[in-house]
Amino acid sequence: VKAVSGLVSFQGDGVGVALNITVDPTQKSPLFDFLSSPGVKLQWLQHAHASAEYALAISLPEKNRTQAVLACLDAIAKANGALGRLPTEAVKELETKFKISVADSIIAKTEAITLLLPEKQELPRGAKPLPTLVIHTEDAATAEAWERFLPQLVGDLVGAAATPQPGTETVQGAKVLTLPGSELPGDAPIHYTRTARVIVIGQDRAQVAKALKADATLAVRSGAKPLSLPNEPVAILGVVSLGRLITTLMEKPKPMGPVVPLEANPVLPNGQVVPENIIADLKKARQLFFEKLSALPHATLSARVHQNEVRLVLFQPQVQNGGLNALINSAIDWLDKVSSMSDPNQRHQEHNRR
């Protein structure tokens, strides 16, 4: 990276944030190659319904598609400190093991992927919610190849002695196949279904069947307006509920199990326990902040490569008609209560006066 520049601007009733990252053209970048695609098509996002917490359509590059995809996945695995084989090595092993061409017959003919997280998923107890994948292929043969390959892939990932045989159930008129996935990262069964050129993979059978049908009238929106394509082609386009995303990241999961520790009130450095009324006020202020944050409509997110720059654009609509003020005020009130805990006696007196 040679330079980074940004711009924050108010547009209509919203606020936009643009970030330009200039890279050295002499250096090889897996992400740069991955984002060098012909552009997203709007119909790819019509599989994500308006209630989704986020939905991103990712257009895969046309030139050297397999190499660009696998190189990016390898880089992500390395950055996360993953142990074991890299995606490139896994593809070679799967091709040898099952005598199939994963690189040329499946990845090379996959046009795009839509990632979406439904607002609500029916999951087994203890399962971790993962996004639903909508895979867009160039032809029906590739979608069929994906359907045949998934049991082999899942069986290999869980170390099964033999390829698992999927169960079948008809949901909302769609034939949904199910594979056991208790040893996978989400710790939940894998459901999948397909049409001629689309295959959907997810953890919730009903949501998988729902995502199979593209519907422009029910598709994700940016605020009150239907989502539209930018003037310039983009490699990634979608919407994200910033409020729900931030709330999810900030919320700590409650302990589970037969023995759950009791929650104790925090103790100050002087050894004094923070009074119950102050804790109640703090929780109330925190909850109000999360409510104001979650009330924000979906923001639009896009990414593209132009010459030697990566450009990221985020637009959050409907913040100037009181939405942003209410959010800022709730954040200040919460932070004020957090800081006042350093002097519990003063805070207790203020509470009694009110």
Side-chain angles (χ1 to χ4, degrees):
V1 176
K2 298 180 66 177
V4 177
S5 60
L7 173 68
V8 177
S9 60
F10 288 94
Q11 308 164 25
D13 68 343
V15 59
V17 179
L19 185 67
N20 292 326
I21 304 171
T22 305
V23 300
D24 185 349
T26 64
Q27 298 293 322
K28 196 69 174 173
S29 169
L31 181 61
F32 199 86
D33 293 340
F34 182 78
L35 294 177
S36 301
S37 72
V40 166
K41 297 178 182 178
L42 199 57
Q43 60 262 34
W44 294 339
L45 282 165
Q46 293 175 358
H47 294 269
H49 291 242
S51 61
E53 293 197 12
Y54 65 77
L56 296 173
I58 305 170
S59 174
L60 301 185
E62 286 186 332
K63 184 179 179 182
N64 299 323
R65 178 178 291 165
T66 302
Q67 294 88 333
V69 171
L70 291 178
C72 189
L73 292 176
D74 283 353
I76 293 173
K78 292 177 182 178
N80 290 331
L83 301 176
R85 61 184 182 179
L86 294 173
T88 299
E89 298 168 339
V91 166
K92 292 179 179 178
E93 291 182 15
L94 289 167
E95 290 183 329
T96 301
K97 181 178 180 180
F98 296 110
K99 303 297 187 289
I100 57 175
S101 177
V102 178
D104 296 333
S105 299
I106 298 180
I107 300 177
K109 296 183 179 181
T110 298
E111 192 176 19
I113 297 174
T114 301
L115 290 174
L116 64 99
L117 184 65
E119 183 180 17
K120 294 180 180 179
Q121 297 190 84
E122 294 293 333
L123 301 178
R125 183 179 178 84
K128 177 184 178 182
L130 296 178
T132 297
L133 303 181
V134 183
I135 300 174
H136 309 272
T137 63
E138 293 182 352
D139 50 45
T142 307
E144 292 177 7
W146 267 109
E147 186 177 15
R148 292 192 300 269
F149 174 59
L150 281 173
Q152 297 170 329
L153 175 62
V154 171
D156 180 79
L157 291 175
V158 302
T163 299
Q165 297 303 309
T168 305
E169 183 176 340
T170 300
V171 182
Q172 301 176 22
K175 176 185 174 183
V176 180
L177 306 176
T178 300
L179 292 167
S182 57
E183 297 181 43
L184 295 176
D187 198 21
I190 301 298
H191 308 287
Y192 58 102
T193 185
R194 72 173 179 88
T195 57
R197 293 175 51 188
V198 173
I199 183 162
V200 183
I201 309 168
Q203 297 173 296
D204 185 314
R205 187 183 284 107
Q207 293 291 347
V208 166
K210 183 179 179 181
L212 186 65
K213 302 174 183 178
D215 192 332
T217 62
L218 298 177
V220 289
R221 305 167 71 86
S222 175
K225 300 178 181 178
L227 194 64
S228 59
L229 290 175
N231 295 329
E232 300 291 338
V234 292
I236 299 176
L237 175 66
V239 296
V240 57
S241 173
L242 294 178
R244 296 178 192 169
L245 179 63
I246 295 173
T247 300
T248 301
L249 293 175
M250 293 181 66
E251 288 283 15
K252 296 180 180 179
K254 294 183 178 180
M256 304 292 290
V259 179
V260 177
L262 293 174
E263 292 187 10
N265 284 355
V267 178
L268 298 172
N270 61 6
Q272 182 180 358
V273 177
V274 179
E276 290 284 352
N277 53 12
I278 295 180
I279 297 296
D281 282 353
L282 182 63
K283 289 181 178 180
K284 187 182 298 184
R286 184 174 185 268
Q287 181 62 32
L288 180 61
F289 169 72
F290 282 148
E291 289 175 1
K292 298 299 182 183
L293 196 60
S294 298
L296 292 175
H298 285 73
T300 305
L301 176 67
S302 67
R304 74 183 184 100
V305 163
H306 178 66
Q307 296 179 352
N308 65 328
E309 280 190 346
V310 176
R311 182 173 176 82
L312 305 174
V313 178
L314 177 72
F315 178 72
Q316 175 63 64
Q318 299 178 20
V319 297
Q320 295 193 49
N321 295 325
L324 191 59
N325 288 339
L327 176 62
I328 292 175
N329 289 336
S330 64
I332 292 175
D333 184 54
W334 179 29
L335 293 175
D336 178 61
K337 288 179 170 58
V338 171
S339 62
S340 68
M341 288 179 62
S342 59
D343 188 356
N345 292 325
Q346 178 181 354
R347 183 76 182 87
H348 186 61
Q349 293 170 4
E350 291 176 358
H351 183 276
N352 289 336
R353 284 198 298 271
R354 289 200 301 271

